[in-house]
Amino acid sequence: MNNLLVLPILIPLCTAVILILFKEQIRLQRGISVVSGILTILSTALLVTRVHADGILTLQMGGWVPPYGIVFVGDMFALLMVMMASIVSFAILLYSFSSIGEQRERYYYYTFFHFLLVGVYGSFLTGDIFNLFVFFEVMLISSYALISLGGTKLQLRETAKYLLINIVSSTLFVAAVAYLYAAVGTLNMAHLSQRIAEAGQGGILNVIAVLFLIVFSLKAGLFLFYWLPGSYGAPPSAIRALFGALLTKVGLYAIIRTFTLMFVNDTSLTHSLIAWMAAATMILGSIGAVAYKDITRILNYNVIISVGFVAFGLAAGTGDSLNGVIFYLLHDMLAKGLLFILGGLIISAAGTDRLSGMGGMIKKYPLLGWMFFILALALVGIPPLSGFAGKLLIIRGALDAGMLTLSLIGLGSSFMVLYSLIKMFRLAFWGNEPERELPAVNLKRASAVAAALLVLVIAMGIGADALYAYVAQAGEVLASPAEYIQAILKE
Amino acid sequence: MELVMAIAIGILFTIGVYLILSKILLRVVLGTSLLTHGVHLLLLTMAGLKRGAAPVLGNEETYVDPLPQALILTSIVISFGVTAFYFVLAYRSYQALGTDEIDSIKEAKE
């Protein structure tokens, strides 16, 4: 039964390899991709129910007992992330059928798409820090290919930057792993946690912790996000949705895993550093979201704000706020995926991504407008929608921990999200239609995908109680690493 | 031996960073390549330089830790792939934008 844990990695991997064979048969590629997406969702749903009933699943690769071999760990947190990622990526897959264009489909778009998913799911499931690096690279190399796919001048320019940033941060990642291995002599994350606790964190281990924080922050866009708005703006909207929904979350997941499992013994240094980085991220992200007047930039800065918010929840570190972090991450994947899809639809309906060239779209596309409006409310955290539970828990936990200033910054950033999205809504949908000829586009199929995601956003808000049972189980493991260590090392 | 390695790593990092900060895309690619080589040496040194037999069960007294070698091998493969991609990208940008200077690439518009 434990062997099933490899399915979320194996299915997209096999799919990607099979798709290479069918370069010209685009319909077949789409069909295989859909089947693979459904299979992944089903298998992770099965795993989630298993873990809910029996606790953490572990899979030792090649039968090597930890801490010697590579271990895959399916705890509730990881599996919930995989499940939400598989649902959102499936929706984005369906959206890309009608938006990505035949040229890109022919040049292995779906192959790279699935390789990216391999990296994302693998990063969530692995229990070995060097293996995490490998899955990060699988994900990043596919993202390099996706970001440059199509080869427009803008894409080439942004890929060069994105590539450089990520190579440097990967180099630092390997350096951090080297120092860590020298200091404690293991790479298994559960074993690391144990050894670091024994050694007593301090001195060199704090330096290593900060080095890891820098590496993951570069990937997550926490404070060191200067590359993100440009690079995420270059590719077409389906790829943008995939990046906005998944890639920063993987970095955040790594930060959360590292700083709830491994470096937990000296929180005064590391966690206050995370707190201040979170504050800076939220403030700078808000400034960016308000300042720009083109849709892509506004949405990219919204991604940054939510990264800051999650990190703030982690820094608070109470049981409530950790539950909130999980809730918020799940909500954010769903909502950001949908936000970028809707943003893409608006751009293709208006034929431009500058808000100054838009207006009056509510007459022609009423459904699109109201979906966007509801989603904006969900992102801000208006009660019956999905953003509410996570935000409430994070803020409550932070207030318990006595972080008043940061809570105010967090709430303030929510208002900035509201302001930036409502500004977008107002300028795109109200007002007068521009004089020029609007492109005739058929948004029916893409709108259906968006509507399905919106139903999920609403359902996640209304069904927050039912989901809470799972989230609480996930939060428990984060709050007490002993349970995680016990499951893996089985002493 | 550790001292020699430390100096070598330092030199590789310095040259790597210097090249990354230069204005020609080709130099940047070479810089990243040197930087990753530096970090591989770092990994090898940090894991401890030892003389010993290959890690196969036998009559030997001391064994060498095989893990760093495995890690470096993995990392080399990855950096090889990424460098190859970066070269292709640099060449493609040179074709599309007509230049390989960072400054003029920055100014290039759609």
Side-chain angles (χ1 to χ4, degrees):
Chain A
M1 190 65 195
N2 282 5
N3 286 340
L4 287 185
L5 203 51
V6 84
L7 276 184
I9 303 166
L10 202 61
I11 297 172
L13 182 65
C14 293
T15 316
V17 173
I18 292 169
L19 287 181
I20 296 176
L21 304 175
F22 302 109
K23 186 182 182 228
E24 297 297 330
Q25 289 99 314
I26 290 169
R27 284 184 161 278
L28 187 63
Q29 285 199 34
R30 289 178 176 182
I32 294 173
S33 304
V34 168
V35 173
S36 140
I38 293 172
L39 280 179
T40 317
I41 294 175
L42 289 180
S43 62
T44 47
L46 179 69
L47 283 166
V48 167
T49 52
R50 278 282 304 191
V51 172
H52 190 53
D54 302 343
I56 299 172
L57 290 173
T58 60
L59 172 63
Q60 295 145 14
M61 282 291 151
W64 284 83
V65 183
Y68 299 108
I70 289 172
V71 63
F72 282 81
V73 188
D75 70 332
M76 201 41 140
F77 180 34
L79 281 173
L80 281 177
M81 296 291 281
V82 173
M83 184 153 135
M84 194 50 88
S86 62
I87 292 170
V88 175
S89 64
F90 184 62
I92 294 170
L93 182 76
L94 295 180
Y95 169 59
S96 55
F97 289 167
S98 59
S99 73
I100 198 74
E102 199 177 310
Q103 200 62 34
R104 287 194 169 89
E105 284 180 312
R106 191 162 285 153
Y107 279 94
Y108 305 108
Y109 168 71
Y110 296 116
T111 309
F112 293 129
F113 187 97
H114 284 101
F115 274 131
L116 185 98
L117 293 183
V118 174
V120 172
Y121 301 156
S123 307
F124 290 148
L125 289 174
T126 186
D128 180 286
I129 197 118
F130 194 79
N131 199 232
L132 178 69
F133 163 74
V134 175
F135 275 117
F136 257 84
E137 286 303 310
V138 170
M139 176 183 90
L140 287 172
I141 292 172
S142 334
S143 77
Y144 304 152
L146 281 176
I147 222 175
S148 61
L149 194 65
T152 63
K153 284 180 184 174
L154 178 69
Q155 281 180 311
L156 289 173
R157 193 184 73 190
E158 292 301 333
T159 316
K161 273 198 276 180
Y162 179 74
L163 202 54
L164 183 58
I165 291 288
N166 279 305
I167 290 176
V168 171
S169 74
S170 297
T171 310
L172 289 178
F173 196 167
V174 180
V177 169
Y179 288 131
L180 192 63
Y181 188 66
V184 288
T186 179
L187 293 170
N188 182 297
M189 273 145 75
H191 200 209
L192 274 171
S193 167
Q194 220 175 28
R195 287 257 175 107
I196 291 172
E198 278 167 18
Q201 196 182 332
I204 183 78
L205 281 170
N206 268 336
V207 175
I208 297 169
V210 173
L211 193 54
F212 271 112
L213 181 62
I214 291 172
V215 169
F216 294 144
S217 301
L218 265 170
K219 317 242 180 201
L222 174 65
F223 187 55
L224 307 165
F225 59 75
Y226 43 84
W227 53 271
L228 192 146
S231 301
Y232 280 21
S237 59
I239 299 174
R240 228 181 278 157
L242 193 65
F243 286 10
L246 299 184
L247 288 199
T248 53
K249 306 301 174 296
V250 179
L252 273 174
Y253 172 86
I255 294 180
I256 292 168
R257 202 38 112 200
T258 325
F259 287 92
T260 57
L261 179 66
M262 283 152 53
F263 302 109
V264 285
N265 306 302
D266 188 8
T267 51
S268 62
L269 174 75
T270 50
H271 285 55
S272 57
L273 190 60
I274 296 177
W276 289 114
M277 283 168 89
T281 313
M282 285 190 280
I283 293 170
L284 295 172
S286 302
I287 294 173
V290 173
Y292 283 97
K293 281 211 154 54
D294 47 313
I295 290 181
T296 327
R297 294 243 167 202
I298 294 177
L299 298 190
N300 287 338
Y301 277 103
N302 270 301
V303 171
I304 293 169
I305 296 176
S306 65
V307 168
F309 198 74
V310 173
F312 156 56
L314 170 67
T318 59
D320 261 352
S321 67
L322 286 176
N323 285 346
V325 161
I326 298 166
F327 231 115
Y328 195 78
L329 271 175
L330 296 177
H331 144 78
D332 201 55
M333 268 199 236
L334 198 60
K336 284 280 142 54
L338 179 55
L339 183 63
F340 276 90
I341 291 178
L342 288 179
L345 290 180
I346 294 172
I347 292 171
S348 60
T352 170
D353 85 335
R354 306 214 47 93
L355 282 172
S356 51
M358 292 182 193
M361 275 163 61
I362 198 81
K363 274 178 230 145
K364 224 168 155 191
Y365 305 101
L367 180 67
L368 188 60
W370 293 118
M371 284 201 295
F372 187 81
F373 184 71
I374 295 174
L375 178 67
L377 296 184
L379 277 164
V380 177
I382 304 291
L385 299 161
S386 65
F388 175 66
K391 273 205 172 149
L392 179 73
L393 284 168
I394 290 182
I395 296 283
R396 201 167 73 186
L399 287 178
D400 282 347
M403 304 171 94
L404 185 64
T405 322
L406 275 163
S407 307
L408 288 177
I409 293 175
L411 287 173
S413 76
S414 298
F415 282 112
M416 289 305 175
V417 169
L418 181 70
Y419 175 74
S420 67
L421 292 179
I422 292 300
K423 180 178 79 178
M424 220 173 114
F425 179 68
R426 188 170 55 85
L427 289 174
F429 288 98
W430 299 134
N432 298 321
E433 277 184 53
E435 301 280 303
R436 67 198 160 73
E437 196 74 17
L438 289 177
V441 282
N442 184 4
L443 299 179
K444 279 221 179 80
R445 278 166 67 188
S447 297
V449 175
L453 273 181
L454 191 69
V455 169
L456 270 181
V457 167
I458 297 170
M460 199 183 144
I462 294 171
D465 260 346
L467 190 61
Y468 188 76
Y470 293 87
V471 169
Q473 195 188 354
E476 215 174 282
V477 178
L478 290 192
S480 64
E483 201 176 322
Y484 187 91
I485 298 168
Q486 176 76 34
I488 293 168
L489 299 179
K490 292 201 181 76
E491 285 154 302
Chain B
M1 194 60 192
E2 273 82 0
L3 186 68
V4 179
M5 291 295 266
I7 293 169
I9 295 162
I11 292 173
L12 279 174
F13 264 84
T14 320
I15 301 176
V17 171
Y18 175 75
L19 284 175
I20 284 176
L21 294 177
S22 66
K23 290 191 169 180
I24 314 279
L25 202 49
L26 186 64
R27 282 164 164 255
V28 174
V29 184
L30 291 175
T32 59
S33 178
L34 284 181
L35 207 59
T36 44
H37 286 320
V39 95
H40 296 152
L41 279 187
L42 177 77
L43 188 52
L44 191 70
T45 317
M46 291 304 289
L49 297 169
K50 278 177 245 140
R51 279 171 195 277
V56 182
L57 280 184
N59 301 322
E60 307 292 334
E61 284 287 309
T62 50
Y63 297 102
V64 172
D65 185 1
L67 198 64
Q69 273 87 344
L71 302 186
I72 291 168
L73 187 61
T74 316
S75 184
I76 285 176
V77 171
I78 290 170
S79 83
F80 171 69
V82 173
T83 311
F85 183 85
Y86 213 164
F87 269 123
V88 173
L89 185 82
Y91 181 60
R92 189 73 183 72
S93 326
Y94 173 68
Q95 277 185 324
L97 306 166
T99 175
D100 67 340
E101 283 192 19
I102 306 278
D103 284 344
S104 14
I105 290 177
K106 258 192 226 158
E107 286 155 18
K109 293 269 157 51
E110 261 310 274

